[in-house]
Amino acid sequence: MKTTFYGQSTFMIETGGKKLLFDPFITPNPMAKDIDIHSLKPDYILVSHGHGDHVADLVAIQKSSDAIIICIAEIANWLGKHGINNAHGMNIGGGFNFDFGRVKMVNAVHSSTMPDGAPGGNPAGFVIYTGGKTIYYAGDTALTYDMKLLADENVDWAYLPIGDNYTMGVDDALKASSFINCKNIIGMHYDTFPVIKINKEEAAEKFIKAGINIKLPEIGESIEL
Ligand code: NI
Ligand code: MN
């Protein structure tokens, strides 16, 4: 199983011949200018919430791939009004068995409106059980005690925001790693905008000192999960 970073919180996970894309925000991101969104061709697009830096390329990529979108019910309804009728709506606490594995939608502490101002329901994270691994994609979130509910899920890899200002910063992400009892962390949601610029070396050092395997990939870089 491998994952590829496309900037901000956008990742692909390739598992069992299926491609899962998370929170596509590529064309408005100058750091990701070399990525061609129409070459991605995901089978599924998982959307954590409605903010522009998570859905900017959602409709365009869905149209060029016919991907099934996995998201909260309110975003699925919004997509229906924009001509996309294959979204799979879920809600917090619910799980569903897809052909690549199981997805459970979990709590995130944040806000959610669509780019046109429509309500986006609650923000969410995902726990994905696929290829014998358990993966937690936190979305945009604060540190929350709800993360302790994942401590006995044996999470192999966790995608956590570390950019501060809009989400957890590095220090709270370290606490989150401990709450969820996971030693393999992929950082996201940093450096894209001035207010979420971080010192990558300092951030990595803090995780390493805590005994955590931290990955902060370059845009376009893939990691084996
Ligand atoms: Ni957000
Ligand atoms: Mn965001």
Side-chain angles (χ1 to χ4, degrees), residues 136 138 141-151 168 176 179-180:
Y136 171 47
T141 185
L143 177 66
T144 162
Y145 255 48
D146 283 5
M147 290 168 176
K148 292 196 175 194
L149 293 170
L150 303 179
M168 295 189 285
F179 281 7
I180 62 183

Side-chain angles (χ1 to χ4, degrees), residues 1-219:
M1 197 182 317
K2 75 168 185 175
T3 191
T4 306
F5 183 48
Y6 294 113
Q8 186 66 344
S9 299
T10 309
F11 286 87
M12 189 82 83
I13 294 178
E14 293 175 56
T15 173
K18 299 290 178 185
K19 292 163 83 175
L20 281 54
L21 183 67
F22 292 75
D23 284 7
F25 170 79
I26 297 166
T27 56
N29 183 359
M31 295 164 75
K33 63 179 183 333
D34 296 333
I35 307 297
D36 169 18
I37 59 167
H38 298 298
S39 70
L40 298 178
K41 299 262 185 272
D43 298 288
Y44 294 87
I45 307 173
L46 288 83
V47 179
S48 67
H49 66 295
H51 289 156
D53 59 317
H54 299 260
V55 303
D57 295 311
L58 176 59
V59 170
I61 294 175
Q62 196 284 331
K63 286 193 169 148
S64 70
S65 63
D66 210 28
I68 294 168
I69 297 173
I70 302 174
C71 58
I72 202 147
E74 284 81 357
I75 295 182
N77 292 340
W78 181 86
L79 286 164
K81 288 180 188 143
H82 290 76
I84 294 172
N85 295 306
N86 71 345
H88 182 109
M90 301 181 68
N91 216 320
I92 310 291
F96 189 82
N97 297 327
F98 295 89
D99 59 0
F100 60 84
R102 182 170 177 81
V103 174
K104 186 174 179 187
M105 183 171 268
V106 296
N107 198 29
V109 175
H110 191 66
S111 58
S112 182
T113 45
M114 307 310 297
D116 61 3
N122 284 323
F126 297 104
V127 181
I128 302 114
Y129 307 86
T130 182
K133 299 245 156 94
T134 302
I135 294 162
Y136 171 47
Y137 180 90
D140 279 8
T141 185
L143 177 66
T144 162
Y145 255 48
D146 283 5
M147 290 168 176
K148 292 196 175 194
L149 293 170
L150 303 179
D152 51 8
E153 294 288 316
N154 296 316
V155 175
D156 294 287
W157 286 91
Y159 295 72
L160 301 179
I162 59 170
D164 218 346
N165 193 74
Y166 298 117
T167 66
M168 295 189 285
V170 170
D171 293 336
D172 279 356
L174 272 167
K175 284 185 193 162
S177 312
S178 153
F179 281 7
I180 62 183
N181 193 24
C182 180
K183 296 271 186 209
N184 296 305
I185 304 297
I186 298 171
M188 60 183 185
H189 213 272
Y190 63 90
D191 279 0
T192 314
F193 314 115
V195 293
I196 58 171
K197 282 250 185 301
I198 66 164
N199 182 322
K200 268 177 87 166
E201 283 77 46
E202 266 179 28
E205 196 59 36
K206 283 187 178 181
F207 281 98
I208 292 162
K209 270 197 185 130
I212 288 168
N213 173 30
I214 178 73
K215 300 286 188 194
L216 303 173
E218 300 297 323
I219 291 175

